[in-house]
Amino acid sequence: MSSKTRLILHDLRPGDAAAVLPAQSEECLLFAAYPAVRYCVGCYGCWTKTPGKCVIRDRGADMAGMMPKCGEFIILSRLVFGGLSPDIKAVMDRSIGFVLPFFRIVKGEMHHVPRVEHPPDLRYVFYGADMTEREKETAKALAKANSINLASGRSEIQFFPTFRDCKEVLK
Amino acid sequence: MKVAIINGSPKLRESASQLLAEAVQKKLGNQTECAICSPIGPEGSEILKKIEGANALVFVFPLYIDGLPSHLLRFLDESLQDISDKASGAMVYSIVNNGFFEGRQNAVAFEIMRNFADKAGLKWGQGIGVGGGGMLRSVGIGRGPLKKVGNTLDLLSKNIINARSAQNYTVDPDFPRALYIAVAHLSWRASARKNKVNSKQMLVKP
């Protein structure tokens, strides 16, 4: 993987993913959040037992190691209450080993110290019917907060009515 | 009046959320019928029965990457219609705690909970953001630097009893932030040492 590599974390079902996402390649890695990985139990083992990696042994433990090796990290998620879908959130919660347990001050607030020197840019691609303006505003606030907490230099956000409409921006 | 307090921590016991949930339960005292429940654990399957007929739902959870822990989010997403039907007309309150010092960092999670309430056709009550979550279990709610946390829960409890909506409110510990961070760093290193992980190993890059 290199800084040119894109990593797409998505919550699509296999048939839908094949129809919408680019093929997996050296430049484009795919991570399916469905079927769901086990949920984070808040043990902090990824900071104090096996630093950088979740202690729960399923594929959800792989994401924290993949994120820092790509230049752009794209999250394709159904918009749920203005945030990530449960399948995507389960993967993200299991990936906090991506940052260190230690703290620093950013823009006057306490945040985690990044584990790596060059965290990837973040792009959120949300899909869903009947999004409210309030939900979109929540998602924008979430992307902004995540970009600070995941120490990303840049974050983008896009909204589409269906996952099929996302195909063009994921090419 | 019936109140259901939903503990949204993945740690069923010995969590900051459990402590906050018990504190609110105590403050609601004899004036309400008030039970604490969780979507997981041995009684997880009973949660919809516990919230049935509730006038208020109080969600208490830790902040996970600026949002809800995934198991709580899954419960709200998958059970939206059931919650909407069983707790029809209920007010929704949320107490969110985070390990950062600033309680205001819980604000996005309030918005997610408010959007949930809107989708479920329930009425948003209030969000309470508690910063310095690392101190809750060691110091105790309402004591010393966490006196304001206790006072905030008093006000929230009154709002719940009166079925009142109020502005979201966030609270920080009355404690020097630099010292809070220094203690947190010592605590992380001590936890790692117990697992035979030294300070340098904690920083390992993938």
Side-chain angles (χ1 to χ4, degrees), chain B residues 89-108:
Chain B
M91 303 283 293
V92 175
Y93 300 86
S94 293
I95 307 169
V96 194
N97 68 92
N98 62 339
F100 298 134
F101 189 83
E102 302 87 11
R104 66 176 177 271
Q105 292 203 47
N106 296 299
V108 177

Side-chain angles (χ1 to χ4, degrees), chain B residues 1-6 31-35 37 46-58 81-92 122 160 163:
Chain B
M1 180 184 194
K2 182 175 172 179
V3 180
I5 303 179
I6 295 97
Q31 298 182 67
T32 67
E33 177 198 336
C34 177
C37 49
E46 304 286 303
I47 186 166
L48 288 171
K49 280 185 198 160
K50 297 218 172 149
I51 67 173
E52 189 158 15
N55 306 99
L57 303 177
V58 185
Q81 192 58 52
D82 284 331
I83 298 169
S84 173
D85 292 344
K86 290 186 185 295
S88 170
M91 303 283 293
V92 175
L122 306 178
I160 294 169

Side-chain angles (χ1 to χ4, degrees), chain B residues 87-156:
Chain B
S88 170
M91 303 283 293
V92 175
Y93 300 86
S94 293
I95 307 169
V96 194
N97 68 92
N98 62 339
F100 298 134
F101 189 83
E102 302 87 11
R104 66 176 177 271
Q105 292 203 47
N106 296 299
V108 177
F110 298 160
E111 290 306 309
I112 292 171
M113 290 305 299
R114 181 176 179 146
N115 292 329
F116 153 75
D118 287 349
K119 289 271 176 194
L122 306 178
K123 194 173 173 199
W124 177 247
Q126 186 178 30
I128 300 294
V130 179
M135 295 176 77
L136 284 167
R137 287 182 45 76
S138 54
V139 174
I141 294 164
R143 298 178 61 185
L146 300 185
K147 196 168 188 300
K148 276 195 297 195
V149 177
N151 296 343
T152 302
L153 296 185
D154 283 335
L155 293 174
L156 171 73

Side-chain angles (χ1 to χ4, degrees), chain B:
Chain B
M1 180 184 194
K2 182 175 172 179
V3 180
I5 303 179
I6 295 97
N7 177 0
S9 170
K11 291 184 266 190
L12 290 177
R13 289 178 186 80
E14 298 182 3
S15 69
S17 299
Q18 179 68 14
L19 206 66
L20 289 161
E22 286 169 359
V24 172
Q25 187 183 37
K26 198 171 167 188
K27 288 177 195 297
L28 293 173
N30 301 328
Q31 298 182 67
T32 67
E33 177 198 336
C34 177
I36 299 174
C37 49
S38 162
I40 53 170
E43 295 174 359
S45 56
E46 304 286 303
I47 186 166
L48 288 171
K49 280 185 198 160
K50 297 218 172 149
I51 67 173
E52 189 158 15
N55 306 99
L57 303 177
V58 185
F59 292 89
V60 190
F61 60 91
L63 187 72
Y64 273 27
I65 323 184
D66 302 300
L68 282 58
S70 70
H71 74 285
L72 176 63
L73 179 63
R74 190 176 299 283
F75 166 66
L76 298 184
D77 184 38
E78 292 178 354
S79 306
L80 183 69
Q81 192 58 52
D82 284 331
I83 298 169
S84 173
D85 292 344
K86 290 186 185 295
S88 170
M91 303 283 293
V92 175
Y93 300 86
S94 293
I95 307 169
V96 194
N97 68 92
N98 62 339
F100 298 134
F101 189 83
E102 302 87 11
R104 66 176 177 271
Q105 292 203 47
N106 296 299
V108 177
F110 298 160
E111 290 306 309
I112 292 171
M113 290 305 299
R114 181 176 179 146
N115 292 329
F116 153 75
D118 287 349
K119 289 271 176 194
L122 306 178
K123 194 173 173 199
W124 177 247
Q126 186 178 30
I128 300 294
V130 179
M135 295 176 77
L136 284 167
R137 287 182 45 76
S138 54
V139 174
I141 294 164
R143 298 178 61 185
L146 300 185
K147 196 168 188 300
K148 276 195 297 195
V149 177
N151 296 343
T152 302
L153 296 185
D154 283 335
L155 293 174
L156 171 73
S157 301
K158 283 179 188 156
N159 289 335
I160 294 169
I161 288 167
N162 294 308
R164 212 159 41 200
S165 289
Q167 276 206 327
N168 297 334
Y169 189 81
T170 63
V171 56
D172 304 343
D174 279 319
F175 195 74
R177 184 172 69 177
L179 193 54
Y180 177 82
I181 292 175
V183 172
H185 287 183
L186 283 173
S187 165
W188 286 124
R189 289 194 177 98
S191 297
R193 264 200 309 278
K194 281 184 195 164
N195 298 320
K196 298 187 171 53
V197 172
N198 65 35
S199 295
K200 199 177 165 190
Q201 288 166 327
M202 290 178 81
L203 308 177
V204 70
K205 290 181 171 50

